[in-house]
Amino acid sequence: METAPPSADPQVVDLARMSLPRLMFALLHRRFTGTITLTPPAADAPGRGEGAGSRRVWFQGGMPIFTDFTSPHDSIGQVLVDLGLIEAAERDRAMAELARLAQPGAPRERFGHYLVRRRLVTGGQLRKALRVQCARKVVHLFALRAGTVHVAAGDAAAAESDASQPTQVNTLELIHAGVVAHFDQRRIAAEMGLLLDGPLRLRSSLDRYRAQFHFSRGDEAVVDALRPGNLYVTDVARLSGQPEARVAQVVYTLWACQMLKSANAPPEQSTGPIATLPEATGSSTPVLSHSQAAGLRERDGLRAAEFAGELERLEAAIAGGANAFDLLGLATTADRAQIRAAWHVLSRRFHPDSLPHQGLGHLRDRSQSVFAALSEAYQRLSDDAQREQIVALLRGGPVAPRASAGPSAQAVLESEVVVREGDKLLRAGNFDRAIERYRKAAALNPDELEIRAAVAWCEYQLAADKAAVRDATRAVLFEVLARQPRCVRAHYDLGLLSLGSGDDDQALLHFNHVLEMEPDNIDAKRQIHAIQLRRSTPEGPRRKLFGPRR
């Protein structure tokens, strides 16, 4: 990345031509140090004072460090309360005491400094709160659709003298937060134009900076779904299980940060993003005309009609007694991996909870019965004995005695929901709460081996003496693999166990097994990268570009 040279002449950017996310990424790319001053259109009206309505943000190395405007809900006291660092009553008492101590005409002590001096918070806690406060205030600016931005390069001395221990805000994470907060699908379509309707491809630069976005798990699923390339937004929504509106926000974030492009664009000439700050007139972006707006509404209507047609065909197939293979669109020769892949796509497409986000909430009740039928079909085809029975019936051969009935489709569906809750808790390190969810899921669906692996891993994490239970945990995971060799969770957890015992070679073997089954599994990629980095850099991995991951 470049470093912006000091300049006495500020550049003027028109927000109607270059959005704030794109501008902020350009500043990050240049490692810009100085200030930007945003002026909404209303502030330019005749009769208003100079600078009225303006908002100024100081940058250091391309990252915001300080703002000079107030936001009622983002005072440092409120941020500290929101972060759980002080109680609201404690804050109010401190504010009252600080007001009582203030001398008329004398400079008033900053509230944060007062809290540190009274040892109500530590210096580190105050810096964290200041960083969150700055980020929250800047996110509000993303609501601006028009206005001007004066970009003036310089030093950050003014901010350092005004701010209490200024700290840099992660710009990439901030851009995504601003997009999620203020960019709906219509606004994104207005900026990206036809690009949003075409096939998309990730740029190679994303591999370097992906972790800095701090994507949620759902957003990570969107990025993983984009990985193969040549996919449309609707395809990515189906593969990731995320609403199209959320997919559009992730796509826009990556596009604004020059880490995504049209799949029809020519090959990249370099591996890194190339961001440029526009001249005073800005750079042109598509504007949503009346005809384009009408086209967007027509496209939404066509998507709803398409989904309703798919739903109607499945309802007719269910009413006509279609077999499990036909419902999932599979040949009778489909193997377990093909069955799971078909279920993955269909379950995300017809899951009732995803419909309201796509403007299809009126079809939710109809989708519930279809989803239950698809779930039951998947359950039957996942059971070897039941699958053989169905194949024999379709071929007109002898039917083996039916095994005892497994869990109902409703129980399987509920189990999957509970497992997802457990996975969220597991990622957050709440192993005691996660194991409760997994055990409930196991009670609903006792034959699901991935749940058994999840329970074993939580039991290991909760053990007071992990070394004493490591071999027992490993035995359970290998037992799972003996019955289900393609269990990603078991291979990944075995890799972590091998890391804990210092066996990097065995860990690499398991993590590579994970990538064989799920080539875009980001967790396995990170573990492999960490091992390779540790081996190539004896002194340990270098500090990340934007600081440690929080």
Side-chain angles (χ1 to χ4, degrees), residues 88-102:
E90 194 174 26
R91 173 203 61 192
D92 294 342
R93 287 194 299 270
M95 291 181 68
E97 178 65 13
L98 185 60
R100 187 184 65 80
L101 294 174

Side-chain angles (χ1 to χ4, degrees), residues 52-72:
S54 297
R55 303 286 186 268
R56 186 160 48 165
V57 183
W58 277 261
F59 281 74
Q60 187 178 68
M63 290 179 271
I65 60 171
F66 181 63
T67 63
D68 71 346
F69 58 93
T70 59
S71 175

